[in-house]
Amino acid sequence: MGSPSSDNFSVVVLASDLGIDHRPFLSPADREEQQQQEQWHDCPSYLSSDEDFSDLDVLQFFRLERGSDKSGNRIFRIVGKYFPAPVVSGERLKRYIFHKIFSELPEGPFCIVYMHSTVQKEDNSPGLTILRWIYEELPSDHKDRLQILYFIHPGLRSRLVFATLGRFFLTGGLYWKIKYVSRLQYLWDDIKKGDVEIPEFVQSHDDVLEHRPLTDYGIEPDPLHLTEVPYTAYSFGRYEERWASGEY
């Protein structure tokens, strides 16, 4: 038997084995394919392109506006009063919000205009825990792109909750992105009129707060409208003076 021949062989060392970024060594086609795969993995796995959200779309509680704020951030409008919390589960709400963001939001920064006007906790609020859960599920890129959240007509309860628990429940810097807007007139400092649609009931609520500002703090001033009763202290005083002088 002859001596075994020495076969040629080669050793392939992968860039990943050396802790080196391998992307510069890829061909342009391979780079594009990998980028598409990375973007696919960044998208939540539970998104379903064939799920029907027409029943939620018609409610208009979460929608992308055509305009932007004065910093150039595209506007997502949320109307709390329009959200039927008792009949929409947190899981479906999350899928719907992600569907809207990934399918409608263009590239670049964005903001949220949340209208808290006349919201009832039992009827319209999904709960702070669910909102935190939805926000934490967003890819980090989208968290960074969210620049500011305009919180319109915050009540006393909302202010207290966020002031005491906000830093613990709102992660990812969201707590510091909230800007409270007590009146619509202050919103126009950041957003041009017409770039976000204001429902009529929100405007009416704003008018009420303008004339009765203590309502912001849960105080109903003059619920019996006693200020409309003519003031009679002066007339009684004049009557007493005239009685003492002997006119009567």
Side-chain angles (χ1 to χ4, degrees):
M1 179 180 295
S3 61
S5 60
S6 59
D7 296 333
N8 294 328
F9 70 95
S10 61
V11 176
V12 178
V13 179
L14 298 177
S16 58
D17 295 333
L18 301 177
I20 301 174
D21 186 0
H22 67 283
R23 285 174 292 185
F25 302 100
L26 297 176
S27 66
D30 291 336
R31 291 180 192 175
E32 183 177 357
E33 181 180 357
Q34 182 172 4
Q35 289 176 355
Q36 293 177 352
Q37 292 177 352
E38 291 176 351
Q39 292 175 356
W40 172 259
H41 290 303
D42 286 340
C43 295
S45 58
Y46 50 77
L47 283 179
S48 176
S49 59
D50 57 354
E51 185 170 359
D52 183 16
F53 292 112
S54 58
D55 58 325
L56 300 183
D57 282 333
V58 74
L59 298 177
Q60 297 287 297
F61 69 85
F62 183 69
R63 78 178 194 188
L64 181 67
E65 296 288 288
R66 294 183 179 180
S68 305
D69 67 5
K70 293 182 180 180
S71 298
N73 306 311
R74 287 298 302 272
I75 301 172
F76 260 118
R77 189 195 73 169
I78 300 178
V79 182
K81 189 66 176 178
Y82 289 167
F83 177 65
V87 298
V88 180
S89 67
E91 182 66 34
R92 187 159 192 252
L93 174 63
K94 180 172 67 172
R95 292 198 304 270
Y96 177 65
I97 290 178
F98 276 56
H99 164 74
K100 298 284 284 186
I101 290 176
F102 284 104
S103 63
E104 298 182 6
L105 182 64
E107 291 295 326
F110 70 100
C111 65
I112 294 176
V113 175
Y114 169 62
M115 303 179 186
H116 192 64
S117 320
T118 70
V119 163
Q120 300 296 320
K121 182 177 182 296
E122 297 78 11
D123 299 330
N124 312 121
S125 176
L128 188 59
T129 303
I130 291 179
L131 295 177
R132 178 195 180 192
W133 171 49
I134 294 175
Y135 179 76
E136 289 186 341
E137 289 289 325
L138 280 173
S140 58
D141 172 63
H142 286 74
K143 293 178 184 177
D144 294 338
R145 289 167 58 189
L146 174 59
Q147 301 299 304
I148 187 170
L149 191 158
Y150 300 98
F151 197 121
I152 300 177
H153 295 153
L156 178 62
R157 178 187 178 90
S158 300
R159 289 180 181 271
L160 290 176
V161 168
F162 283 109
T164 55
L165 303 176
R167 299 186 186 185
F168 302 99
F169 279 91
L170 302 178
T171 59
L174 179 59
Y175 176 81
W176 303 106
K177 296 180 180 181
I178 298 176
K179 180 175 183 178
Y180 296 106
V181 183
S182 59
R183 299 290 184 276
L184 290 177
Q185 64 177 344
Y186 303 131
L187 182 65
W188 309 138
D189 294 338
D190 298 292
I191 299 177
K192 185 179 178 181
K193 284 187 177 181
D195 283 344
V196 59
E197 183 178 345
I198 306 297
E200 184 176 350
F201 81 91
V202 175
Q203 182 63 63
S204 299
H205 184 70
D206 193 78
D207 294 339
V208 171
L209 295 179
E210 185 66 25
H211 292 90
R212 295 149 74 178
L214 290 179
T215 308
D216 277 335
Y217 305 98
I219 301 174
E220 174 62 31
D222 192 25
L224 301 179
H225 305 286
L226 297 178
T227 55
E228 298 177 5
V229 178
Y231 185 62
T232 58
Y234 177 77
S235 60
F236 283 140
R238 295 291 297 172
Y239 179 82
E240 291 173 354
E241 291 176 3
R242 296 176 70 180
W243 180 275
S245 63
E247 297 183 21
Y248 292 99

